[in-house]
Amino acid sequence: MEARAKRGMTASTQGLRKAITLRYAVALYVSSVLGSGVLVLPGLAAQLAGPASLLAWVLLSIVSYPFAYTFASLSARKPEAGGIYSFTKESFGVRVATVTGWLFALWFVTGGPAVMLIAASYVAYAFPMSRAETFVVAGGIIFSVFVVNYRGIVMSNKVQLAVVVSIVALLLATVISSSYLVRLENLEPFLPNGLLPIGVCAALIFWSFLGYENVSNVAEEFSDPKKDFHRSILLSVALVSGLYVAVAFVTVGTLSYKSGGSVAPFAAILSNVLGVYGAIGTAILAVFIIFGTANAYMTGM
């Protein structure tokens, strides 16, 4: 029976296309980690700890690499479609692995719609709409994710890469165009509330660095897992960490976090690029980011 099960598993996975190359792997990693928190958390963290919140971003950027590298190494060593399930099964047995797999699936089923509503709320922030219309927009986003994944891994890869390039371009444009408004005197006092808020900030933004484990679920679809997992994780951690720290620095350096609200700081920063259309730009960026995250996790299911 065990031999038959193994043969069945082999038959079910041998049709997987080895379509994930280095650039697509980076796109999956970036979109799995870089969520809507990049629009909200830099402002919230700065409100808690002031300029010292930058230390929390830098610290977590550094410690995220060992976490990410662990999953990348496991996937490169044993590139299976099971990902986290396979790792847990090998370490703790079938029962624990089954629970882990169901928890991962439950997160997407319950968290996915909630995240789509966040994206829709950003759209409603720019284009006033009713509650029902907000739900329709959220449904449209999640439906588009299903359509893209239904077309297969090749289509999903191409869409994911385009979305990530757009996200990175918009974030970089925002940071670069706002850099002339950064004032070093805005970094003083550096510790307005002491050291304790730095730890609170770290706990708050910790969740922004989770997601590297998701790509392990598509390890079997890597064209060269032994090489591309290690290269892509280096590039991805550097890119994600760099974007987080850059947005946080501009948020603090321009005092945008004092504009009020959790969404307002990034909208204020983006206004440096788009003027009065800053809210619209924020909505577009939010939809891109959340679509990319949902598509990455759907690909990994």
Side-chain angles (χ1 to χ4, degrees):
M1 182 177 293
E2 183 177 354
R4 183 182 301 175
K6 289 183 177 179
R7 287 197 299 271
M9 183 178 295
T10 302
S12 65
T13 58
Q14 65 183 0
L16 294 176
R17 298 187 63 174
K18 309 292 185 180
I20 301 178
T21 56
L22 178 62
R23 58 180 177 175
Y24 296 131
V26 172
L28 280 172
Y29 269 125
V30 171
S31 52
S32 293
V33 180
L34 193 68
S36 59
V38 72
L39 305 179
V40 180
L41 293 180
L44 291 178
Q47 289 168 9
L48 286 172
S53 62
L54 295 174
L55 294 178
W57 287 104
V58 172
L59 176 63
L60 284 176
S61 294
I62 294 172
V63 301
S64 68
Y65 178 71
F67 169 78
Y69 184 78
T70 297
F71 281 100
S73 296
L74 288 171
S75 300
R77 179 177 64 86
K78 196 173 183 180
E80 294 182 352
I84 296 175
Y85 173 85
S86 297
F87 304 151
T88 309
K89 180 181 177 182
E90 185 177 347
S91 301
F92 304 106
V94 176
R95 289 186 178 181
V96 177
T98 301
V99 172
T100 302
W102 276 108
L103 286 174
F104 190 85
L106 183 64
W107 175 91
F108 185 82
V109 172
T110 58
V115 173
M116 300 307 157
L117 282 173
I118 293 175
S121 68
Y122 275 98
V123 176
Y125 175 74
F127 306 98
M129 59 181 67
S130 67
R131 185 178 181 85
E133 290 170 332
T134 302
F135 278 96
V136 170
V137 171
I141 297 173
I142 198 167
F143 178 74
S144 64
V145 172
F146 277 109
V147 170
V148 169
N149 278 269
Y150 179 77
R151 295 293 301 275
I153 188 65
V154 174
M155 173 62 72
S156 179
N157 281 341
K158 292 179 179 179
V159 172
Q160 196 72 12
L161 182 61
V163 169
V164 169
V165 168
S166 300
I167 292 170
V168 173
L170 282 170
L171 288 175
L172 286 178
T174 303
V175 170
I176 293 171
S177 65
S178 302
S179 59
Y180 76 97
L181 294 174
V182 173
R183 299 289 182 269
L184 293 181
E185 53 266 29
N186 292 337
L187 301 180
E188 298 176 356
F190 191 74
L191 293 166
N193 303 315
L195 292 173
L196 183 60
I198 298 176
V200 177
C201 285
L204 175 68
I205 66 179
F206 168 79
W207 307 101
S208 299
F209 290 89
L210 297 181
Y212 290 112
E213 71 283 356
N214 177 59
V215 182
S216 298
N217 296 324
V218 291
E220 198 163 341
E221 295 173 81
F222 271 62
S223 59
D224 189 352
K226 291 188 180 298
K227 182 185 296 183
D228 287 341
F229 262 111
H230 292 100
R231 293 192 300 174
S232 62
I233 202 63
L234 280 170
L235 293 171
S236 301
V237 171
L239 182 57
V240 169
S241 299
L243 288 172
Y244 273 144
V245 173
V247 173
F249 179 76
V250 170
T251 300
V252 172
T254 61
L255 295 181
S256 298
Y257 65 97
K258 293 187 177 181
S259 59
S262 58
V263 177
F266 190 86
I269 296 173
L270 196 57
S271 294
N272 296 326
V273 183
L274 303 175
V276 295
Y277 298 103
I280 297 176
T282 303
I284 294 173
L285 183 57
V287 171
F288 271 49
I289 289 175
I290 292 176
F291 174 88
T293 302
N295 190 58
Y297 275 89
M298 179 68 73
T299 302
M301 292 296 288

